[in-house]
Amino acid sequence: RLRGRRIFRRRPLDHTITIMLRTSTTSTVCQKAVTIARRNLSSNASSSTSTRQSSALAGDTGRKATHLHHAMTSFLAIAAPVVMFTPDSYTDGMINKGFGMLVATTVSAHSWIGMNYVATDYVPKVSKALVGPARVFNAALGLVTFVGLSKIALNDKGGIKGAIKGLWRPQQKE
């Protein structure tokens, strides 16, 4: 008698993870269960992505892209506040320009990969034929972002750090 009840079907992998985590008592067993689950997920994901055509514009395909995307996020979250709160006397000159170019590269690559994830997830819902043009648009947007941030980074008036600080400084009258 199942009237009025919902039956939720679990995927075998989810069920395996649940059972393993319930029966495990030590953290080592939990780590092994998670490792096994990750291997199963990656083998399932790799078999489904191998049928897809890979493109140079597809910045979101593969494990390396995901790892790079997460590494860039961590770098931006840690390095940006450190440099922004460092006194100008320590960062003027090549350090500021080098950091600015690093930020320009990281932000543009991060946005390109992230927007490719959006294109992969949401553009096919509108039209599968628009995935290619969306990827071209994302690459162009990433390139424009890189050129614009590079120009600001190489500016003699403080680079990216000076541009961000300028948002809170009152305008200087000439």
Side-chain angles (χ1 to χ4, degrees), residues 28-161:
T28 322
V29 176
C30 286
Q31 288 174 349
K32 287 181 182 179
V34 170
T35 304
I36 291 167
R38 282 185 182 156
R39 284 184 193 147
N40 288 338
L41 283 174
S42 66
S43 66
N44 292 342
S46 64
S47 65
S48 67
T49 56
S50 62
T51 59
R52 241 182 0 172
Q53 290 181 347
S54 183
S55 166
L57 294 174
D60 62 338
T61 56
R63 290 180 130 193
K64 288 182 182 180
T66 302
H67 178 71
L68 182 65
H69 187 70
H70 292 156
M72 286 186 288
T73 302
S74 300
F75 169 76
L76 287 171
I78 294 168
V82 168
V83 172
M84 290 300 166
F85 291 120
T86 303
D88 290 337
S89 60
Y90 294 123
T91 60
D92 281 346
M94 290 307 294
I95 293 175
N96 196 19
K97 289 182 182 185
F99 171 74
M101 288 303 295
L102 196 60
V103 166
T105 304
T106 307
V107 166
S108 58
H110 179 80
S111 66
W112 173 59
I113 292 172
M115 289 305 292
N116 272 304
Y117 280 119
V118 172
T120 300
D121 290 343
Y122 297 108
V123 172
K125 293 178 182 180
V126 175
S127 171
K128 289 185 180 184
L130 291 176
V131 173
R135 290 191 187 278
V136 170
F137 175 78
N138 290 337
L141 186 64
L143 182 65
V144 168
T145 303
F146 176 72
V147 169
L149 287 175
S150 296
K151 183 176 179 182
I152 292 171
L154 298 175
N155 187 355
D156 289 336
K157 297 179 181 175
I160 290 182
K161 184 176 177 181

